[in-house]
Amino acid sequence: MTATAAAAEPVTISETPVAVFQLPAHSFVVSGLVVPGIHAAAVTVASPEPGRVTFAAPARPEVCATTFGGALVRIDYLNVTTGAAGSAMVRPCENFLEPTPTTATVNTGPGPVVFSVSLTGSAYSPTAGQPSLPGVGTFTAP
């Protein structure tokens, strides 16, 4: 009798979206046709488990084709109940060659969290996304 192993099913980690109230960071952008515009770098939050959240700040492909393409988004957060604080850096443009991840999972602890958002250039493109204005926001971590 031959023993066979059952095929392992892939583990799916589901994240629950979290409602975020924010004034996004804003960046002045210029396309290849020298058409100026404004991009609002909004932060999204999801929770894979209680006390942990995943930050992202995805940008549309047409925004990534502008001077914003090499920008990075820094998120500084503070849980006002537990005092847990820290910062995370994410890359808004998926196809941009930059080692910074597109999402960052952090331990905020449960409760109300306030955060600030700032835009910065990457090592490849130090002036990407500049000039810019910072943003702020809040959410309740599960």
Side-chain angles (χ1 to χ4, degrees):
M1 187 164 169
T2 306
T4 59
E9 293 186 30
V11 177
T12 303
I13 299 174
S14 62
E15 294 189 344
T16 305
V18 176
V20 179
F21 301 99
Q22 67 184 305
L23 295 171
H26 284 79
S27 171
F28 179 74
V29 299
V30 179
S31 74
L33 298 173
V34 194
V35 176
I38 301 290
H39 171 65
V43 172
T44 62
V45 179
S47 179
E49 60 188 84
R52 291 175 53 87
V53 299
T54 299
F55 291 119
R60 299 181 322 273
E62 58 271 17
V63 171
C64 294
T66 67
T67 54
F68 185 78
L72 300 175
V73 177
R74 179 184 167 126
I75 304 147
D76 296 302
Y77 62 89
L78 169 68
N79 183 316
V80 296
T81 301
T82 66
S87 66
M89 187 82 75
V90 295
R91 173 175 42 107
C93 297
E94 288 185 24
N95 296 326
F96 187 74
L97 297 176
E98 168 65 28
T100 304
T102 56
T103 63
T105 302
V106 298
N107 295 319
T108 59
V113 177
V114 294
F115 64 91
S116 65
V117 181
S118 58
L119 303 173
T120 183
S122 61
Y124 171 76
S125 183
T127 60
Q130 300 305 314
S132 65
L133 295 172
V136 296
T138 186
F139 62 91
T140 302

